[in-house]
Amino acid sequence: MQFLRSKHFLFDIIITIILVLAALEGLFLILEVTENTFCATLASYDEQLDCMMNWLEGEDGEFLDPEEMYARLAENTERIPGSYLTCSILNADKQVVAGDSISYTQIPSIQFYSDEQDYFAVNHVGSLFPKFFSDQSHFERKGGSITMSAQEVSNWLTFLEMPYLDLVTDEMIYYEKEFTAEDGQAYSLVIGRYLTVPGAVGRQMAYIVIIYAGVVLLVGVVILCHISASKKDYQKIYHIAYVDRTTGLRNRTKFELDAALYTKYRKQKTKYAIVCIDIRKFRVIMEYYGKEQAGQILKEVADILKTELDKKELCAKDKNDVFLLLCVYDNIEELKERIRVLNGKLEAHFEKDKLKFAYGVYCIQDYSKDWKRLINYAYMAKDVVKESTKDNILFMDEDKKEQMHRERELESEMENALQKKEIVVYLQPKYSTDGASIGGAEALARWNSPKLGFVSPGEFIKLFEKNGFIVKLDRYMLDAVCQIQKKWMEEGKNLITISVNISRVHLMMEDMVQDIIKIIDSYRIPRNCIELEITESAFFDDKAVMINTIEELQKAGFTVSMDDFGAGYSSLNSLKDLSLDVIKLDGEFFRESANENRSQTIVRDTIDMAKDLQMKIVAEGVEKKDQVGFLDAMGCDLIQGFYFAKPMPIDEFEKIVYGLS
Ligand code: C2E
Ligand code: CA
Ligand code: CA
């Protein structure tokens, strides 16, 4: 998309350059035409002046008779566009006392006369300059000329002074000659050229300009049409690539690009955080309201988010119901408060729909890191906080980052672990309290990954329970245990009951019982050689389903045990509805504590109760001799603990068991 964008800009730049060049070319053309015309004008103008001087001075350098001069002038003078000849008589103080001008538009004529006055007058001015000589009836014809009233002469002089001044300043005086008039005073005759904006040239130029402007305009319109068409295409593609259709916000891709840009040009002390916002149970909302109304909800969330942001901040909509913010912050407490306020607004707005939100925050440390990764940190925090019912804001810190990074690592390897049999079964024997015989064993998963090293069950089981992979692991372990039993059966050995852990997720699956039966039966081994350990906390999920499933399993011939008994707080309560086969006392009772006496009391009473309810009792996590002695005295059935044996590989187990028997 970057490519597309830059291509578009390139196109725009090329078009702009073409238009500028066209405009410049037009300008040059106009200048050229003007200059040519101007030069031509000047050339013929100079010629005309030469001519005129000849007439004025006559062959012998004397002034001609005015009549004669007029005739010559009329005959020879060409009409020169945009030009004026001025002819002025100045007194000794350089003041204009008389004058005339010849312009393109007039029939050139100059007449001098000097019979009554000391200055020259003009013959046609009234017709040419009505502005100055409005009242022609005042003019008195005299020998083909006009005699002006004093006022008119004064107007005329004012007019002529202008050209004279221009002549002087523009150094365009062509001819200057001093002479003595009949009054004995010294005057000078000044002939100058005075160019105005040329009429015809102007018109000619105007045509060119109009034609040229027309062409440029036409080309411009065509180009603009093209640009707007390609702009529309670009907008369409831009929309597809960068805009979220439901909310109109920028999408994740655009967020990454913009975030990189915003932070690149940030001030050094400006700090940014990424906030990942998720609507809790949005799937349920979709299901309940339908897609359209759910979309409307997303749009309203987007609108609220937009109003909360500053100029330097960003907002985007990612996949499903996740929004991303790029926020400026000073300190974490202030940012937390800001999110709380935002959450208050969102929850208030959606009070009717009872919407709840989860916020994962990552305060960026290293702006040079890949944005996918930075956003992922906020995502990870959001995922964790979404699991929690207590909190709704979680800041991703370095420890959590590390832990989550590790989880991603494990997750990327877990499928492999089963396929390549990196996870193996270890068996931990369950001894009779006197240690004389082995009454069973528990299958425990051990993962030795060539890539990650030894991974403790405490780590991967928790993760698999979270991501659901535990169901696969349970089936894998069950399958492996069945293989062992089958092998022993085929070798004619006495079968020892092996217990397999069944996770809560697995237990809640509809076809769980059938699933287990299918696996075990496929090996044709007796069902009672497999025991199923169900962890105590599973009993709180859905009691009715639980009771039903356990009864089904028992009916199918399996032994079912309640694992970790006593670790939760309502173990006793669940026993009243469930007729289990075995109770496994949680190892915590045998950990060292200040209240050993209390622990002993509970253990004793639990054993008594189990006996009354006709259940077997297994003590787990027993490490010490005196504990074994105590359990023996209390009538506990079996002991599983490091005191007798740690979990071990199958071949080792075989040696102990079949060596013993
Ligand atoms: P659990 O089912 O309660 O298993 C007993 C745990 O106690 C095992 O830990 C075992 O090694 C440990 N243990 C046994 N005797 C002693 C002792 O004397 N002292 C101490 N300190 N610990 C003892 P492990 O193998 O680390 O497994 C931890 C948990 O992971 C298990 O607890 C079980 O809930 C789960 N797990 C292990 N394998 C599987 C599996 O295949 N499927 C499922 N769903 N869960 C499994
Ligand atoms: Ca267990
Ligand atoms: Ca246990």
Side-chain angles (χ1 to χ4, degrees):
M1 279 308 115
Q2 192 79 34
F3 164 75
L4 186 88
R5 207 169 156 209
S6 59
K7 203 173 153 193
H8 177 76
F9 283 149
L10 200 70
F11 180 74
D12 275 4
I13 287 168
I14 291 171
I15 293 300
T16 312
I17 291 173
I18 291 173
L19 281 177
V20 168
L21 285 179
L24 283 177
E25 172 63 21
L27 206 65
F28 286 136
L29 195 67
I30 290 167
L31 286 178
E32 203 180 332
V33 170
T34 315
E35 197 185 313
N36 286 344
T37 319
F38 193 73
C39 291
T41 306
L42 280 185
S44 57
Y45 196 47
D46 286 348
E47 256 171 48
Q48 192 184 356
L49 276 168
D50 279 343
C51 240
M52 193 161 140
M53 290 322 297
N54 286 337
W55 311 321
L56 283 171
E57 292 184 354
E59 259 111 70
D60 50 0
E62 286 303 306
F63 281 96
L64 285 176
D65 171 67
E67 295 286 334
E68 169 76 19
M69 208 185 288
Y70 174 76
R72 285 201 198 180
L73 212 55
E75 193 179 296
N76 290 293
T77 310
E78 275 178 45
R79 297 176 176 205
I80 300 167
S83 62
Y84 272 92
L85 286 182
T86 62
C87 177
S88 312
I89 303 294
L90 312 175
N91 62 20
D93 298 330
K94 288 281 178 197
Q95 280 171 329
V96 176
V97 289
D100 193 11
S101 66
I102 308 165
S103 88
Y104 167 68
T105 46
Q106 74 187 84
I107 297 166
S109 59
I110 297 179
Q111 278 202 358
F112 303 98
Y113 68 98
S114 54
D115 44 346
E116 279 171 34
Q117 293 163 35
D118 295 341
Y119 54 82
F120 299 89
V122 195
N123 70 336
H124 58 275
V125 282
S127 60
L128 277 167
F129 304 104
K131 194 171 147 205
F132 293 96
F133 307 98
S134 50
D135 192 357
Q136 285 199 41
S137 61
H138 279 253
F139 295 359
E140 193 187 303
R141 288 206 153 264
K142 200 171 182 188
S145 299
I146 295 165
T147 309
M148 290 180 275
S149 69
Q151 178 58 49
E152 277 141 8
V153 168
S154 140
N155 286 346
W156 177 226
L157 294 183
T158 315
F159 174 73
L160 283 175
E161 262 175 45
M162 287 186 323
Y164 177 70
L165 291 178
D166 285 346
L167 289 175
V168 174
T169 50
D170 293 351
E171 295 177 345
M172 287 174 87
I173 292 174
Y174 183 79
Y175 175 86
E176 192 162 7
K177 184 170 179 129
E178 291 195 353
F179 65 94
T180 311
E182 284 178 353
D183 61 1
Q185 305 251 353
Y187 291 91
S188 49
L189 172 73
V190 174
I191 301 228
R193 45 188 193 191
Y194 174 56
L195 290 168
T196 61
V197 174
V201 174
R203 229 172 297 135
Q204 204 177 338
M205 266 167 53
Y207 290 143
I208 293 166
V209 169
I210 287 167
I211 290 167
Y212 190 78
V215 171
V216 168
L217 205 71
L218 198 72
V219 172
V221 166
V222 169
I223 289 169
L224 281 176
C225 285
H226 180 77
I227 288 177
S228 98
S230 64
K231 210 165 192 155
K232 263 188 208 148
D233 283 350
Y234 174 75
Q235 273 167 352
K236 229 190 262 170
I237 296 168
Y238 179 94
H239 226 77
I240 294 167
Y242 291 143
V243 179
D244 173 71
R245 256 197 280 169
T246 319
T247 60
L249 289 179
R250 59 169 70 65
N251 63 11
R252 162 80 177 249
T253 313
K254 186 79 170 91
F255 182 81
E256 283 174 20
L257 290 171
D258 288 350
L261 209 68
Y262 274 45
T263 50
K264 188 173 176 186
Y265 297 110
R266 76 190 194 284
K267 285 196 191 114
Q268 189 134 44
K269 61 175 197 295
T270 309
K271 292 188 280 187
Y272 276 101
I274 301 169
V275 183
C276 179
I277 307 172
D278 186 290
I279 305 174
R280 288 177 190 267
K281 302 210 163 88
F282 194 70
R283 260 172 223 286
V284 183
I285 292 164
M286 285 255 276
E287 200 60 42
Y288 185 73
Y289 286 123
K291 211 172 162 191
E292 210 161 292
Q293 210 170 331
Q296 181 55 30
I297 288 178
L298 291 175
K299 176 128 188 29
E300 285 169 31
V301 172
D303 290 343
I304 294 173
L305 293 181
K306 270 193 283 189
T307 61
E308 288 302 302
L309 296 182
D310 184 80
K311 269 208 306 272
K312 286 187 229 149
E313 301 180 318
L314 288 173
C315 176
K317 158 83 172 43
D318 202 352
K319 274 176 287 175
N320 307 324
D321 55 323
V322 176
F323 291 86
L324 292 169
L325 304 181
L326 180 75
C327 294
V328 176
Y329 73 101
D330 267 339
N331 60 68
I332 290 189
E333 268 320 304
E334 166 237 283
L335 179 59
K336 212 180 248 174
E337 185 51 33
R338 195 175 158 199
I339 296 171
R340 271 193 211 115
V341 171
L342 168 67
N343 184 59
K345 280 188 192 166
L346 285 169
E347 287 193 358
H349 183 88
F350 295 106
E351 204 185 352
K352 236 178 44 225
D353 315 296
K354 299 206 166 38
L355 285 202
K356 296 277 174 240
F357 300 82
Y359 305 81
V361 190
Y362 178 64
C363 298
I364 303 170
Q365 312 291 322
D366 179 357
Y367 291 88
S368 65
K369 262 198 188 149
D370 175 29
W371 277 90
K372 284 196 178 24
R373 195 139 164 210
L374 297 176
I375 294 168
N376 199 34
Y377 293 147
Y379 247 91
M380 281 152 72
K382 183 268 295 175
D383 287 343
V384 174
V385 82
K386 219 181 146 187
E387 299 281 311
S388 159
T389 44
K390 276 204 314 260
D391 302 316
N392 63 347
I393 306 171
L394 182 77
F395 279 67
M396 173 60 67
D397 58 29
E398 290 305 310
D399 286 352
K400 276 190 220 99
K401 237 165 71 184
E402 197 120 304
Q403 181 203 333
M404 288 179 177
H405 183 65
R406 170 77 174 166
E407 285 183 359
R408 295 292 98 85
E409 250 179 5
L410 296 184
E411 280 180 336
S412 69
E413 283 298 308
M414 63 192 186
E415 287 283 356
N416 244 349
L418 297 193
Q419 259 166 37
K420 297 190 175 153
K421 296 199 175 2
E422 289 169 15
I423 293 180
V424 296
V425 175
Y426 268 49
L427 293 174
Q428 187 178 27
K430 296 172 187 170
Y431 278 85
S432 58
T433 48
D434 59 4
S437 61
I438 291 174
E442 179 178 4
L444 294 159
R446 292 289 176 268
W447 183 8
N448 200 357
S449 157
K451 213 167 177 181
L452 308 166
F454 181 79
V455 190
S456 98
E459 192 182 3
F460 68 81
I461 297 288
K462 227 194 288 162
L463 174 66
F464 292 177
E465 276 174 345
K466 205 160 71 183
N467 65 21
F469 193 69
I470 194 77
V471 177
K472 273 197 172 178
L473 177 74
D474 283 353
R475 300 176 88 249
Y476 171 91
M477 290 291 287
L478 182 63
D479 196 89
V481 168
C482 290
Q483 281 179 36
I484 298 165
Q485 295 285 34
K486 179 151 176 96
K487 184 181 144 252
W488 288 340
M489 203 170 78
E490 282 169 357
E491 288 169 0
K493 293 186 167 117
N494 283 337
L495 294 187
I496 288 182
T497 306
I498 300 178
S499 58
V500 175
N501 291 289
I502 299 294
S503 69
R504 318 161 54 157
V505 195
H506 199 174
L507 206 69
M508 285 300 148
M509 285 170 64
E510 242 174 63
D511 54 352
M512 179 261 190
V513 176
Q514 285 315 311
D515 189 41
I516 287 179
I517 291 175
K518 215 166 111 191
I519 296 173
I520 295 172
D521 286 359
S522 72
Y523 287 95
R524 295 170 192 279
I525 49 170
R527 289 181 186 170
N528 65 3
C529 72
I530 302 285
E531 183 177 315
L532 302 169
E533 290 191 14
I534 294 163
T535 183
E536 189 209 347
S537 52
F539 292 80
F540 305 122
D541 283 348
D542 188 333
K543 238 184 184 157
V545 176
M546 245 350 267
I547 294 169
N548 200 28
T549 311
I550 288 168
E551 276 173 3
E552 265 187 69
L553 286 169
Q554 287 172 325
K555 260 188 234 152
F558 300 109
T559 306
V560 182
S561 55
M562 188 195 264
D563 203 356
D564 306 332
F565 186 88
Y569 49 86
S570 55
S571 321
L572 285 171
N573 199 22
S574 39
L575 281 181
K576 80 178 184 326
D577 305 309
L578 282 164
S579 59
L580 288 148
D581 304 300
V582 182
I583 283 179
K584 287 189 83 180
L585 268 177
D586 192 61
E588 273 310 299
F589 289 117
F590 309 104
R591 296 287 83 79
E592 261 172 59
S593 89
N595 287 321
E596 227 155 286
N597 285 341
R598 290 171 71 95
S599 284
Q600 278 195 355
T601 312
I602 296 170
V603 169
R604 191 180 52 225
D605 289 353
T606 309
I607 294 171
D608 284 349
M609 180 193 65
K611 296 254 163 254
D612 285 352
L613 294 170
Q614 273 95 48
M615 290 190 274
K616 276 171 100 179
I617 188 139
V618 179
E620 210 176 21
V622 179
E623 293 177 357
K624 291 187 188 138
K625 197 177 172 185
D626 57 336
Q627 291 169 339
V628 175
F630 171 74
L631 288 165
D632 186 35
M634 290 302 113
C636 179
D637 295 301
L638 293 169
I639 292 175
Q640 177 189 344
F642 293 173
Y643 177 75
F644 288 119
K646 288 193 172 176
M648 60 190 78
I650 292 153
D651 51 352
E652 236 172 79
F653 181 82
E654 283 174 333
K655 261 185 239 159
I656 296 174
V657 175
Y658 299 112
L660 267 179
S661 58

